[in-house]
Amino acid sequence: MLKRKFESFRFSFQVIATLCIVACFQFSFSHGVVKDESFSLGYTHRWDAVNWNFGDPNDVPNILSELKWEDLCINQVTAKASFTTCGGMYIKAWGDYGQIYSGRNRDSDYLENNRQGEFSRSIANAGKGEVFDLSLALGYRATFFGEKLKIIPMFGASWNEQHLRMYDGMQVVPLEREINGLHSSYKTRWYGPWVGVDISFAFCDSMSFYIGVEHHWVEYRGRGHWNLRTDFLTDFKHFSNGDSNSIKSGISYSFFGNWGVELIIGYEEWQACNGTHRLTVEVPGVGPEGVVALLNQVSWHSFALTSMLKYSF
């Protein structure tokens, strides 16, 4: 069933991409050449935080284990392309790839409800890993006041991943000791459709300001590999649904012919709730046994500063 869902989303993403390409050619030939086209490439410094928790299979405690990745600092390469036909059809693609160079992790386990009775806590370095994101959108550009104001409602699809690491660990509860050989990982995947709007205003021929907001509906998948847990016969897996809201704003300045720069600030908040935590463990005297628990919540917050070099055709 999950495989069918994945294939269904991949098919939907391919359909949107195909529609964008077809729309480009159709509007270009039927309404004249492309009216506005640009490509931007730049650097992003990004700060992320990811956390999740799940309950005991028997419902008590309601939070059995909670993992937090905090202060994740990321160096990222970002690319953006957009074009508008004379008919007003607007197509935008956004992609990035980044590497985590700093961060920390905390793993806490509890005996009682509501994070009471903490019986285990460990901390670890999380300064390794990678992230990548892809978004594709189709919309219509409406212009006002001699094209100074542009409003572009859009719909699209996105795919976002984080590959998180834990190493150089230290047990701090109940006793303080080093965790030798720690090299665990957790991979997230957020994907689904979204709707949004971009609004831009040109102060003059060389400078403009824009703001964009998006709302996403997402399928969430997580996969954890705990390398020191010999009783875990398989990687544990997370399945859930959620949504997100994001906002970006920036300034674009043209300084020489078709060349310009963009400065962009963005914030995103993603969350998934009431999902499933699945795992197969080795029970002494019994053998392999499947464990299913409630994945209470997964959240991801991201703040980014981007500078880009832009070329307009």
Side-chain angles (χ1 to χ4, degrees):
M1 180 177 179
L2 293 173
K3 184 176 180 181
R4 289 199 300 270
K5 283 186 176 181
F6 174 77
E7 294 295 334
S8 176
F9 172 77
R10 186 169 66 177
F11 175 74
S12 299
F13 200 98
Q14 291 171 342
V15 167
I16 291 176
T18 302
L19 287 174
C20 289
I21 295 172
V22 171
C24 169
F25 283 102
Q26 179 180 349
F27 275 76
S28 294
F29 284 114
S30 60
H31 295 84
V33 297
V34 172
K35 185 178 181 181
D36 186 16
E37 192 172 18
S38 68
F39 177 78
S40 302
L41 181 65
Y43 164 77
T44 297
H45 195 269
R46 175 171 142 185
W47 297 265
D48 278 17
V50 178
N51 69 76
W52 50 262
N53 67 78
F54 65 89
D56 187 86
N58 297 316
D59 298 329
V60 178
N62 56 3
I63 297 177
L64 173 62
S65 185
E66 184 169 48
L67 276 290
K68 295 182 178 181
W69 284 263
E70 299 177 315
D71 298 328
L72 298 176
C73 298
I74 304 165
N75 286 321
Q76 182 173 286
V77 176
T78 303
K80 180 179 70 169
S82 65
F83 59 85
T84 309
T85 70
C86 288
M89 182 65 68
Y90 177 80
I91 298 173
K92 180 173 75 170
W94 179 291
D96 57 61
Y97 171 80
Q99 292 190 337
I100 301 169
Y101 69 88
S102 179
R104 65 179 187 269
N105 168 268
R106 171 175 165 164
D107 181 350
S108 294
D109 299 318
Y110 304 94
L111 289 171
E112 302 172 17
N113 284 342
N114 303 318
R115 299 182 178 87
Q116 299 299 309
E118 184 179 21
F119 69 92
S120 176
R121 183 196 307 165
S122 62
I123 57 176
N125 197 330
K128 296 179 182 178
E130 58 187 359
V131 301
F132 62 88
D133 311 278
L134 178 64
S135 182
L136 188 63
L138 181 65
Y140 179 80
R141 188 178 76 171
T143 60
F144 306 90
F145 308 114
E147 298 196 356
K148 286 186 175 294
L149 175 65
K150 301 173 184 177
I151 300 177
I152 310 170
M154 296 173 290
F155 72 93
S158 66
W159 185 286
N160 312 83
E161 291 195 19
Q162 298 116 354
H163 297 179
L164 309 174
R165 303 284 188 266
M166 295 180 291
Y167 60 98
D168 294 341
M170 176 72 70
Q171 189 79 33
V172 295
V173 174
L175 298 174
E176 188 169 309
R177 65 177 180 86
E178 290 187 9
I179 303 176
N180 296 320
L182 178 64
H183 187 66
S184 295
S185 64
Y186 184 73
K187 297 181 179 180
T188 75
R189 181 185 300 154
W190 312 74
Y191 57 90
W194 60 269
V195 296
V197 60
D198 280 356
I199 301 173
S200 67
F201 181 80
F203 297 107
C204 57
D205 291 339
S206 60
M207 180 177 289
S208 63
F209 167 83
Y210 92 94
I211 184 169
V213 295
E214 298 173 6
H215 180 78
H216 295 241
W217 296 271
V218 296
E219 295 276 343
Y220 176 77
R221 301 291 180 263
R223 186 184 188 101
H225 176 73
W226 272 201
N227 74 303
L228 298 181
R229 291 295 300 265
T230 57
D231 55 326
F232 287 7
L233 299 182
T234 61
D235 293 347
F236 64 85
K237 298 179 181 179
H238 290 161
F239 310 94
S240 189
N241 299 307
D243 60 6
S244 81
N245 294 295
S246 68
I247 182 169
K248 293 185 177 73
S249 64
I251 294 177
S252 178
Y253 176 73
S254 299
F255 60 87
F256 179 74
N258 293 341
W259 292 93
V261 293
E262 289 184 282
L263 299 176
I264 303 168
I265 183 172
Y267 177 75
E268 303 179 31
E269 183 175 322
W270 303 67
Q271 88 170 3
C273 301
N274 299 321
T276 303
H277 170 88
R278 295 182 183 273
L279 175 66
T280 301
V281 299
E282 179 69 26
V283 180
V286 177
E289 183 173 309
V291 175
V292 179
L294 176 64
L295 179 65
N296 295 308
Q297 185 181 46
V298 185
S299 67
W300 162 33
H301 301 267
S302 182
F303 178 77
L305 293 174
T306 302
S307 57
M308 308 187 83
L309 181 65
K310 178 180 180 181
Y311 184 80
S312 301
F313 298 92

